[in-house]
Amino acid sequence: MKKQTIITFILAIIAFSLPSANATKKQDKEMDRFISSLMKRMTLEEKIGQLSQCSEGYATGPDNSRISRAPLVSEGKIGSMLNVSGATETRKFQEAAMQSRLGIPLIFGMDVIHGFRTGFPIPLGEAASFDLDAIEMSARCSAREAAAAGLHWTFAPMVDVSWDARWGRVMEGAGEDPFYGAKVAAARVRGLQGDNLADTATIMACIKHFGGYGAPMAGKDYNSVDMSMGQFANFYMPPYKAGADAGAATFMSAFNDFNNIPCTGNTFLLRDLLKNKWGFDGFVVSDWGSVEEMINHRYAADHADAALKAITAGLDMEMVSECYTDNLARLVKDGKVSMKLIDDAVRRILEQKYRLGLFDDPYRYCDENREKEIINSRQSHDEARHVAQRSIVLLKNQYDILPLSTDIRKVALVGPLAKSQRDMCGSWTCAYTNTAVTLYDALKSRGLEVDYNDGYDIDSNNISNLGQTLASARNADVVIVAMGERASDTGEMASKGDISISADQQRLVSELVKTGKPVIVLLMCGRPVIFNQVREEAPAILCTWWLGTEAGNAICDVLWGDYNPSGKLPVSFPAHNGQLPLNYQYKSTGRPTAKGGWCTTYRDIPTAPAYPFGYGLSYTTFSYSEPNVTPSAKPGEYAVVTVDVTNTGKRPGEEVVQLYVRDEVASVTRPIKELKGFEKIALAPGETRTVTFPITDAQLGFYDNDMKYRVEKGDFTFMVGTDSSSLKSVKFTL
Ligand code: GLC
């Protein structure tokens, strides 16, 4: 293209984009004018009201017998409510807010974590899809339904990296990898917020729990988090930053202390890093009662001290506890808290209310007709099934038992989880706990003859009716066992010291395998679990997590090959509890492999995980060429890694091609490998695709102990493959 043409082309792009940039600037100016004028008219009490959020409906934390503060809404003393939903219900409280002196609208928030009325897979299950489009689709559907139910805000995505499957909330995030977690965080923010918060199909996102909540000592929920700044920056910080960079409207401070300061009063996290260094212009809400809980931390002496420390640190809105309501005015009058701090917090909150369009029309989200049309729609169910199919991970498929033949007529179905609508939805369900299609329902709807037996008691886990269950198996074409834990075994306040599947459940599978019938084990869980006996003895195993409303249908789609499973584990599965916390990005240490036991290993349990991060099989097979690396002249790109991937089987299938990087020598100790790229590709039988990974600062850099991002010259190893342990490598020197 001639130089002049290029210049004209570039000028055209600038000219074209100018109006939208101008429009944004104009909108912001109008917003500033409106909010400044409103704030000039607000009393100190009304400003403090905007900083207070109360809960109505169900409690998602210790209720401490709080009395309802709904009556304060019409006095302008509440700025937000959580756990209220429904066009009619939210309209009722909004009408009360409109009666206040200045009529500042409420914002309604709720934990729409993986679906509102149509349930999607638990976030950890969705993460197994390694399909960012599917993950964004899920968030978009959640937002569409939540907004139709009068909500403006979800306390999601939870982006806490976790290496410890004893922690029950591992189900709520994207697993153990910070690079992947950052991609998922951004996808979820895009899906929830779209590009216009005033759109009645979008809602505010909330990046939580800031920070480091996924690394509680001993895997115990709410426990202390103690790590170096380098560890935080390299392994836990990236998803939070990605959420901020994606434009998340809000953040939530975490319950835990972080380097000896409760997150809710942690100036380094909330003000220095989030608001100043990252330029975050949204607002920060506390977690449930976490302002007041600084007294329990023995960091605040009383409620007034807690309010002082929280507002000083940059905590804008107090969820549920009443430290701000009861103490901020006095603290201001005593000169202990400047109006500047109050005004900054109030402005941040009012700006989001403005962006939501609530000052134009406070009832824009309270439309009963739209609620009926949008919620639980066919579109929602189709999307839920699409995402659920892609979240399933094939762990084992001996003798190609799967996919099942359409000749199969008689199924022996075993395990109460196969019939449990409640458990099929997982933890952190919003309003859809009993709408799931169970595995039993789905099998019946395919016209199969299903002989069901509990096989084990869902609560005691003891084997029941073994003889009858075995007879049923002997009389069937195939045995399908729903094995696992209850949905309530993961989620908040669900840390467990032993994440093994019960011995009786495993013994039952063993007995079923001895019948000689083909046995398919469906692992239903919200966390990595330990099931070594079944792992050895069962010929076919699918990890189905908790898949939500379309669970049964999605599982059957995979069992019969209507969808070829493509999921990959976003978390390592341990072989023993003693391996926890466990992750694949461990450091070499000074004795990685010294002979004679002089190395980092155990005497009594295996060191290797049961299944590594990134692991997942398909009904077809794939082969990888040796990777190539070629220097690149493109600005900002050091090199390009390429690899040819071939579908060597007889079925079309999808493969998540993964790139890992090792910095051979650096100024701080670095992991033996880190995920720095992935691409999910679909290949027909016999088809080969060249997959390309750009190598930029993002692939080579790291944070030093002063949290400065660095790229150092030297030797690197690039590794590509189907999971974090099956890799081919190539050297590169920067
Ligand atoms: C809970 C959770 C948090 C949730 C909040 C409101 O305790 O920690 O993730 O968003 O309270 O329900």
Side-chain angles (χ1 to χ4, degrees):
M1 192 187 284
K2 288 208 183 68
K3 198 169 174 193
Q4 181 52 42
T5 320
I6 291 175
I7 292 169
T8 313
F9 183 64
I10 290 167
L11 288 173
I13 289 179
I14 293 170
F16 181 74
S17 61
L18 269 179
S20 60
N22 284 343
T24 311
K25 276 210 185 73
K26 188 166 171 292
Q27 276 168 357
D28 286 351
K29 277 213 175 71
E30 282 162 10
M31 178 177 74
D32 284 347
R33 254 198 304 280
F34 175 87
I35 288 172
S36 299
S37 142
L38 174 58
M39 286 179 69
K40 282 198 182 84
R41 290 179 284 137
M42 291 172 76
T43 64
L44 174 57
E45 282 65 25
E46 286 165 336
K47 288 180 177 178
I48 292 168
Q50 289 302 307
L51 311 187
S52 300
Q53 179 185 59
C54 72
S55 175
E56 285 300 311
Y58 58 88
T60 44
D63 205 10
N64 303 336
S65 67
R66 293 183 195 285
I67 55 166
S68 165
R69 288 198 281 157
L72 298 177
V73 169
S74 57
E75 298 169 33
K77 293 180 177 170
I78 295 286
S80 171
M81 299 177 90
L82 75 146
N83 298 337
V84 175
S85 68
T88 307
E89 191 65 4
T90 53
R91 176 184 290 275
K92 183 182 79 175
F93 288 111
Q94 200 66 289
E95 284 167 346
M98 291 303 110
Q99 289 162 17
S100 64
R101 187 177 76 88
L102 293 172
I104 298 173
L106 292 167
I107 39 177
F108 296 101
M110 187 174 264
D111 295 282
V112 186
I113 306 296
H114 49 110
F116 175 70
R117 178 83 79 245
T118 305
F120 282 75
I122 56 169
L124 187 64
E126 272 188 6
S129 70
F130 277 81
D131 181 335
L132 297 178
D133 292 338
I135 290 169
E136 190 173 330
M137 171 192 280
S138 166
R140 197 164 38 248
C141 181
S142 301
R144 193 171 59 235
E145 291 200 349
L151 293 169
H152 309 122
W153 183 18
T154 177
F155 307 120
M158 182 277 226
V159 304
D160 305 310
V161 168
S162 181
W163 297 348
D164 198 329
R166 291 173 295 182
W167 187 56
R169 297 193 79 165
V170 67
M171 58 67 63
E172 203 176 337
E176 75 187 56
D177 185 83
F179 175 87
Y180 181 51
K183 300 290 185 191
V184 172
R188 285 183 170 146
V189 169
R190 286 195 301 271
L192 290 169
Q193 297 192 169
D195 50 19
N196 176 12
L197 275 180
D199 182 328
T200 52
T202 63
I203 55 177
M204 293 196 298
C206 182
I207 301 299
K208 71 184 188 181
H209 306 75
F210 197 49
Y213 180 44
M217 288 178 170
K220 291 194 290 188
D221 207 352
Y222 318 123
N223 206 2
S224 283
V225 169
D226 191 18
M227 60 176 74
S228 69
M229 297 320 272
Q231 181 82 351
F232 173 69
N234 285 300
F235 298 108
Y236 293 87
M237 186 178 78
Y240 300 120
K241 183 160 190 323
D245 292 347
T250 68
F251 262 64
M252 181 183 287
S253 65
F255 287 123
N256 53 284
D257 61 343
F258 174 79
N259 287 349
N260 310 315
I261 308 279
C263 293
T264 303
N266 196 306
T267 304
F268 162 73
L269 285 176
L270 305 185
R271 215 174 273 290
D272 302 345
L273 185 60
L274 178 61
K275 292 181 176 179
N276 295 341
K277 186 166 185 186
W278 294 352
F280 173 67
D281 68 355
F283 69 85
V284 182
V285 64
S286 75
D287 202 339
W288 180 286
S290 63
V291 173
E292 182 180 55
E293 288 180 2
M294 288 201 282
I295 300 169
N296 298 340
H297 277 285
R298 298 182 16 252
Y299 178 71
D302 53 31
H303 289 84
D305 194 28
L308 172 63
K309 283 171 173 160
I311 194 76
T312 305
L315 192 283
D316 302 305
M317 182 183 281
E318 179 180 13
M319 179 187 285
V320 170
S321 53
E322 300 164 46
C323 302
Y324 280 12
T325 308
D326 297 344
N327 298 283
L328 271 186
R330 167 56 50 205
L331 288 165
V332 170
K333 285 163 188 158
D334 291 351
K336 291 180 181 169
V337 168
S338 74
M339 268 314 290
K340 188 170 175 298
L341 287 183
I342 303 286
D343 285 342
D344 176 62
V346 172
R347 180 176 290 275
R348 287 171 180 271
I349 291 164
L350 293 180
E351 284 181 350
Q352 299 308 337
K353 293 187 176 184
Y354 185 94
R355 291 192 178 109
L356 283 163
L358 291 172
F359 286 110
D360 288 341
D361 174 6
Y363 305 111
R364 64 188 293 115
Y365 295 80
C366 312
D367 179 332
E368 286 84 349
N369 293 326
R370 186 171 66 237
E371 185 177 36
K372 286 194 195 76
E373 177 211 328
I374 296 286
I375 286 183
N376 232 357
S377 67
R378 181 73 261 150
Q379 178 188 353
S380 296
H381 281 246
D382 292 345
E383 291 177 353
R385 186 166 179 168
H386 174 92
V387 179
Q389 289 168 344
R390 286 153 179 79
S391 303
I392 295 171
V393 184
L394 177 61
L395 298 178
K396 188 175 180 183
N397 190 20
Q398 241 169 359
Y399 337 114
D400 287 339
I401 281 188
L402 291 172
L404 296 175
S405 157
T406 47
D407 300 339
I408 295 266
R409 297 312 322 142
K410 295 175 74 170
V411 174
L413 181 61
V414 181
L417 293 174
K419 281 190 155 185
S420 168
Q421 281 200 316
R422 174 62 199 86
D423 288 298
M424 219 42 74
C425 297
S427 182
W428 281 114
T429 54
C430 213
Y432 58 87
T433 50
N434 292 313
T435 60
V437 175
T438 65
L439 177 57
Y440 177 81
D441 299 340
L443 289 168
K444 295 289 280 182
S445 69
R446 289 176 84 99
L448 290 157
E449 190 184 324
V450 182
D451 182 21
Y452 170 79
N453 280 281
D454 278 350
Y456 62 90
D457 178 275
I458 186 71
D459 294 312
S460 69
N461 272 311
N462 298 330
I463 288 180
S464 60
N465 299 330
L466 181 59
Q468 184 181 316
T469 307
L470 295 179
S472 165
R474 290 190 192 97
N475 188 33
D477 300 326
V478 67
V479 183
I480 298 176
V481 189
M483 178 184 84
E485 53 175 10
R486 303 226 51 176
S488 54
D489 283 327
T490 46
E492 189 172 349
M493 63 175 181
S495 292
K496 291 172 74 175
D498 181 356
I499 59 170
S500 308
I501 295 298
S502 76
D504 265 21
Q505 280 196 43
Q506 296 197 65
R507 187 163 67 82
L508 170 65
V509 171
S510 189
E511 292 302 322
L512 288 165
V513 170
K514 284 176 193 159
T515 65
K517 290 288 183 178
V519 175
I520 318 294
V521 173
L522 302 177
L523 180 60
M524 299 180 169
C525 56
R527 59 159 47 97
V529 287
I530 295 166
F531 57 108
N532 295 328
Q533 182 181 2
V534 168
R535 189 158 62 92
E536 290 303 312
E537 296 179 8
I541 306 171
L542 286 161
C543 179
T544 66
W545 316 101
W546 296 118
L547 293 171
T549 300
E550 286 291 330
N553 289 329
I555 292 170
C556 286
D557 293 342
V558 166
L559 286 174
W560 271 272
D562 301 334
Y563 181 76
N564 183 353
S566 60
K568 296 284 186 177
L569 296 177
V571 276
S572 310
F573 271 52
H576 193 285
N577 289 301
Q579 295 178 337
L580 295 167
L582 172 68
N583 77 313
Y584 79 89
Q585 305 136 314
Y586 51 85
K587 304 283 187 74
S588 302
T589 77
R591 294 190 172 184
T593 56
K595 289 202 174 25
W598 303 89
C599 61
T600 48
T601 184
Y602 301 104
R603 286 201 173 180
D604 57 344
I605 61 172
T607 302
Y611 297 106
F613 173 85
Y615 175 86
L617 303 176
S618 168
Y619 291 154
T620 186
T621 50
F622 300 98
S623 68
Y624 283 70
S625 71
E626 291 300 322
N628 280 311
V629 57
T630 45
S632 166
K634 262 172 83 177
E637 196 173 84
Y638 299 109
V640 170
V641 172
T642 57
V643 62
D644 291 342
V645 182
T646 303
N647 178 342
T648 49
K650 299 185 180 59
R651 287 172 174 275
E654 294 158 280
E655 170 68 328
V656 180
V657 183
Q658 300 155 49
L659 168 75
Y660 296 84
V661 178
R662 178 169 57 243
D663 187 343
E664 291 300 345
V665 179
S667 56
V668 295
T669 53
R670 306 284 297 119
I672 60 152
K673 68 186 82 161
E674 294 174 287
L675 182 75
K676 291 295 182 184
F678 64 92
E679 186 175 344
K680 188 164 192 174
I681 60 173
L683 293 175
E687 182 185 1
T688 296
R689 177 91 52 84
T690 299
V691 178
T692 303
F693 295 108
I695 302 299
T696 68
D697 285 349
Q699 278 67 41
L700 302 185
F702 62 90
Y703 289 95
D704 64 20
N705 289 343
D706 300 319
M707 296 184 75
K708 187 173 171 304
Y709 195 74
R710 315 164 67 92
V711 176
E712 296 176 342
K713 292 192 178 312
D715 295 336
F716 292 83
T717 300
F718 299 140
M719 297 158 271
V720 293
T722 188
D723 65 51
S724 58
S725 67
S726 320
L727 297 166
K728 294 183 174 179
S729 59
V730 63
K731 300 289 183 192
F732 172 74
T733 300
L734 179 63

